[in-house]
Each structure stands twice: as C-alpha cells, then as structure tokens.
Amino acid sequence: AVESAKGKYAHMLFNKLFEDYSNALRPVEDTDKVLNVTLQITLSQIKDMDERNQILSAYLWIRQSWYDAYLRWDKDKYDGLDSIRIPSSLVWRPDIVLYNKADDDFSEPVNTNVVLRYDGKITWDAPAITKSSCVVDVSYFPFDSQQCNLTFGSWTYNGNQVDIINSLDSGDLSDFIEDVEWEIHGMPAVKNVITYGCCSEPYPDVTFTLILKRKSSFYIFNLLLPCILISFLAPLGFYLPADSGEKVSLGVTVLLALTVFQLMVAEIMPPSENVPLIGKYYIATMTMITASTALTIIIMNLHHCGSEAKPVPQWAKVVILDYMSKIFFVYDVGENCTSPKREKEEECRLDGDNGCQRKHKEVRSPLSNRNDDCNLKDKLNGNWNKSCGVHGENVRETVNCCSCYKMLIKNIEYIANCVRDHKANRAKGIEWKKVAKVMDRFFMWIFFIMVFFMSVLIIGKAA
C-alpha cells in the first residue's frame, strides 16, 4: 500500500513538474546567472590504442550534475518523495562534448535516465565509448610512455552561461579493468579557460590527461630477443673457413631475417620522423651486418691470393703475422695446437738439439747437396780423364761422357729452380691465407663486442 501510494504521488509530481516545462532553454531564473555543471569522468577500460592512426579508444562513465530552477518541489506535499528517475530527453542537458574526438559517428549521447531531486539537482550518468586523438611518441618503443588528453567542454555555451567544475582533481580509476598492454599511472584533471579567435567570450573546458605506460614483455619476446639472437650470428661468419663458401651466404641470410622484423615494426608504428628505439637497433644491426659482409668479401680475396699476388708487406708481417696472430691464437694454415708439426717439435725438444739436427739432415733435400755432387762429378771426370788419357782410342768416348754430365747438371739446376720458385709462391700464398685468418679473428671479436654493447644498451632502456 505504501509503494502504491508513492507511485501515485510520483505520477502527480511528474505531471505537475512537466506541465509547463521546456527543455529547450537554459533552466535559470535569471538569464545573466551562470549555470554550474559538475563533471566527473570514470575510466572503465582501454579498448584500443592505435599508434599508427594515433587514436585512443576508451570506455568511460560520464557523470554530470547541475541544478534546474524549474524542477523543484516540496517533498512533504508528496509523502516525503525526495527523488524520481525520468528519461534524460525530457529535461535540459548541457551540450558537453569531447573536443578532441576522432570518430566519424556524431550521434547523440546515450539517453539514460537522470536522477531528479526535490531541490532541483539533476544527476546524469551516461556510458560512452570515445575515440580521441592522441599524439603518440614512439621514440622509446617498446619501452615508451604516452600521455593522451580527453578534453570536455560545452559546444555552444560560453563561460558566462555554463561553467564547468571539476568534481575531483583527477579521473576516477576505482573501477578500471586492467589492460593487457598498458599500465595506468594516473589521470589528472585540469580546468582551462580559453578565448578562441572566433569569439570574445571565454570557453571553459576540463582536460583529463591519461598517463599510460606500455607493458613491454610481449615485444621483448617477439621482436627484441629474436633480433638479438640473430645479430649474434653475424660475427660467427668470420669464424667460418674461407673454403666453405658459406661466409657471404650467412651474412645475407641474417640481413634478410632482420629486414622481416624491421617491416613488422614499420607496420605498427606511425610514419613519423621519430624512429623508435627498436627500429634504431634494427638499423644499427643491419648496418653492422652489411659491413661484416663487405669485410668478409675483402678477406676472402686476401685468402685466395695466388702466386700472382704481391708479397705480404713488411709492416703486415710484423703487425699481423707476428703480433696479432699471437693475440688471437691464430696458427699457420692447417695447423693447430695438436698438429703433427707441433708434435715433431715437441719430440725435438725431448730428444735434444743433436737429435733434431740429425733428423733435419736426414730429411734435407738433395738439392742442398748440389755443390757437393758437382765436386764429386768433377773428381770423377778428372779420374776418368786420367784413366782415359792412357788409352788414346778412348778420348772421343770421354768427351761424349763429359758433355752428357754437363747436360744432366743443367737439367738438374732447371728442376731445382722450378722447385724453389714453386716453394716461394706457395709460401707467399700461405702468408696471405694466414693474414686473412688473423683478420677474420680480429673482426669477429670486434663485432661481438659491438653486438654485446648494443644489446646491453637497448635492454638497459627497459630498466
């Protein structure tokens, strides 16, 4: 019975209030009086952050409250009824809109009910999905922070007619649903009074600044770590043997892999002058890999220097072959710490100097005894001549034998010169191969250090 009585009084009140009411005019008794509208914004959810188009989509609860001078009543006359809820389209509403709206839909606000109190206070809570323009700075992507403004103000009423008052010093974040990509670090509110060029009257507005911090774990595991792992493969191209034929192929493959990741980042980021941090890392790594591939080609040319090449310069022998080869533990081509040559040297050290000299004498080339053989042949020729001198009929045979010996010695000298030239050319080629191997080791460590410091630098930005 009590509820039916209140419903009866509510109908009576509604008919009484809206009998001569018009929602087209500002509800003030004095037209020179300012109508104060209290504004409060509650952020419920961040739906999307489109960095490429610089648009922030958010789900907001917008609460507006004001006093209507023509919608008051004495609650005692209506059985203590102090408030009613009516459609918002029946009462006057302030035309407060989002100034930096970036949506094509210019539809009216949601026609939710308003709460009308006996003293004329109207409270209107309306949900809204807003798309606002946001200046995105991607210089430190994916470790960046963004500040997006939401500016609310009256579209037609100036500050002398409708004034906007902040309900709180910041937006309400108590009902915020945690986002998977962004962290909210605050939503301060600031009131501004601006005089536009078109009009002399001031226009107040309230700007809510949404401070966002990106959660970078997704981008670290999907964009950054693969690039770091791939970039560490670039210096290993210098460790590959030059005869394998895969040194240049490895550099080109790594360069193409980084190009794919660079295109993925370019699709996300806006086409601005600010290059993101991860983009700078990609560019620096690609430049380094390009340089390493070019150096690999140069070193391969040094490795394949043949007998036609010039000898290794003296400064290169001193700096590269004597000092740098010891620093980077580079041995002769085909030689390592367990090579047979080193085993023989160890045996020589164990046997002593006499044993080494004896083995060297045994393996000494017959060409080194060429002078002794010639003396022996001279002695034989002399003895033969002496023995032939007794018998005159053998003189002609002796002359023929001497000419045969001379031809044989001449041929032996020719063969010895060829062997000597071949050994010299081979030694020259071995020196160039060792120079190329030392340079490979040198650039390998240089590029490893560069990749390490670049990776530490970009990971340090996440701290």
Side-chain angles (χ1 to χ4, degrees):
V2 174
E3 292 178 356
S4 62
K6 287 185 177 181
K8 176 183 176 181
Y9 285 111
H11 280 83
M12 293 173 57
L13 176 62
F14 181 79
N15 293 329
K16 178 65 176 178
L17 290 176
F18 292 94
E19 183 178 1
D20 296 324
Y21 181 80
S22 175
N23 60 359
L25 300 176
R26 192 165 53 98
V28 292
E29 296 177 350
D30 186 3
T31 56
D32 295 334
K33 189 178 180 180
V34 179
L35 179 63
N36 295 324
V37 178
T38 303
L39 180 65
Q40 178 181 340
I41 299 296
T42 300
L43 178 63
S44 177
Q45 183 182 3
I46 295 178
K47 296 183 67 65
D48 184 33
M49 180 65 174
D50 189 354
E51 292 92 348
R52 188 169 185 83
N53 296 318
Q54 303 188 79
I55 295 177
L56 172 66
S57 299
Y59 180 48
L60 306 176
W61 297 344
I62 304 175
R63 169 173 288 189
Q64 304 175 53
S65 60
W66 66 93
Y67 286 90
D68 195 319
Y70 302 109
L71 297 177
R72 299 175 182 174
W73 70 90
D74 187 0
K75 62 180 180 178
D76 295 333
K77 294 182 180 180
Y78 295 93
D79 194 25
L81 187 62
D82 58 352
S83 63
I84 59 174
R85 286 159 177 82
I86 57 177
S88 60
S89 58
L90 299 178
V91 301
W92 177 90
R93 296 175 302 184
D95 58 345
I96 295 178
V97 297
L98 180 63
Y99 280 178
N100 57 332
K101 188 175 182 180
D103 192 6
D104 296 335
D105 186 11
F106 292 97
S107 60
E108 294 291 331
V110 180
N111 291 324
T112 56
N113 290 340
V114 297
V115 179
L116 177 60
R117 290 178 56 85
Y118 70 94
D119 56 354
K121 183 179 181 180
I122 298 177
T123 303
W124 180 27
D125 287 332
I129 297 177
T130 61
K131 290 186 178 181
S132 58
S133 60
C134 178
V135 179
V136 179
D137 184 11
V138 294
S139 300
Y140 294 96
F141 175 84
F143 312 110
D144 56 331
S145 299
Q146 305 296 335
Q147 293 186 359
C148 297
N149 296 329
L150 299 172
T151 303
F152 292 90
S154 176
W155 190 254
T156 58
Y157 294 105
N158 57 50
N160 298 326
Q161 297 170 334
V162 174
D163 191 17
I164 302 177
I165 301 174
N166 295 341
S167 176
L168 300 172
D169 293 335
S170 64
D172 187 7
L173 301 176
S174 58
D175 296 321
F176 177 72
I177 300 174
E178 186 177 356
D179 191 72
V180 295
E181 185 179 0
W182 298 96
E183 296 177 356
I184 305 298
H185 288 187
M187 192 178 179
V190 177
K191 180 181 177 180
N192 303 308
V193 179
I194 301 175
T195 302
Y196 296 97
C198 64
C199 313
S200 60
E201 296 85 2
Y203 283 84
D205 63 63
V206 178
T207 301
F208 296 87
T209 303
L210 189 60
I211 303 175
L212 305 174
K213 172 67 177 177
R214 191 189 301 273
K215 297 178 181 179
S216 56
S217 300
F218 173 82
Y219 298 98
I220 289 176
F221 284 100
N222 291 277
L223 291 180
L224 189 57
L225 283 182
C227 176
I228 294 176
L229 295 177
I230 291 174
S231 61
F232 271 101
L233 290 177
L236 292 178
F238 293 105
Y239 194 76
L240 281 175
D243 296 330
S244 64
E246 298 293 334
K247 295 171 71 70
V248 179
S249 300
L250 178 62
V252 174
T253 303
V254 172
L255 186 62
L256 292 176
L258 289 177
T259 304
V260 173
F261 284 99
Q262 176 69 20
L263 292 176
M264 293 175 60
V265 175
E267 290 179 356
I268 302 173
M269 296 296 98
S272 62
E273 294 183 355
N274 296 330
V275 181
L277 181 65
I278 191 171
K280 294 179 181 178
Y281 179 73
Y282 284 164
I283 293 174
T285 307
M286 292 169 67
T287 304
M288 183 191 68
I289 294 174
T290 304
S292 67
T293 306
L295 289 172
T296 300
I297 295 173
I298 296 174
I299 292 173
M300 288 183 66
N301 286 328
L302 294 178
H303 177 82
H304 291 286
C305 284
S307 59
E308 296 81 5
K310 296 181 179 179
V312 179
Q314 185 62 31
W315 65 268
K317 291 182 179 180
V318 175
V319 176
I320 299 177
L321 298 182
D322 294 342
Y323 293 100
M324 294 180 64
S325 62
K326 296 177 182 178
I327 295 174
F328 297 106
F329 302 100
V330 177
Y331 307 101
D332 292 336
V333 177
E335 175 189 0
N336 51 34
C337 55
T338 61
S339 65
K341 183 177 180 180
R342 286 189 171 270
E343 292 178 359
K344 290 181 180 180
E345 291 179 355
E346 293 295 333
E347 291 178 0
C348 288
R349 293 191 184 96
L350 294 175
D351 294 342
D353 295 336
N354 295 329
C356 293
Q357 292 176 0
R358 183 176 62 256
K359 291 180 181 180
H360 284 302
K361 288 181 179 179
E362 292 176 357
V363 299
R364 188 174 58 179
S365 175
L367 295 176
S368 60
N369 298 327
R370 185 184 59 186
N371 295 329
D372 297 338
D373 293 341
C374 293
N375 294 330
L376 180 61
K377 292 173 183 177
D378 292 339
K379 292 179 180 179
L380 291 175
N381 291 332
N383 294 332
W384 182 263
N385 291 331
K386 289 180 181 179
S387 61
C388 292
V390 179
H391 307 283
E393 62 274 5
N394 295 329
V395 172
R396 183 171 298 178
E397 294 180 0
T398 303
V399 173
N400 293 332
C401 290
C402 291
S403 61
C404 291
Y405 275 120
K406 291 180 181 180
M407 184 63 66
L408 181 61
I409 292 173
K410 185 177 180 181
N411 292 334
I412 292 175
E413 289 179 352
Y414 176 77
I415 295 173
N417 291 331
C418 291
V419 172
R420 192 184 304 111
D421 294 339
H422 175 72
K423 287 185 176 181
N425 292 333
R426 185 171 178 272
K428 184 168 56 175
I430 291 175
E431 286 184 346
W432 279 116
K433 289 182 179 180
K434 188 174 182 180
V435 168
K437 193 174 182 180
V438 173
M439 298 307 297
D440 268 336
R441 296 294 187 273
F442 172 73
F443 285 116
M444 183 186 71
W445 287 110
I446 291 295
F447 280 90
F448 261 127
I449 293 172
M450 291 174 61
V451 171
F452 175 76
F453 278 105
M454 286 169 55
S455 303
V456 169
L457 179 64
I458 191 169
I459 294 176
K461 295 293 183 179

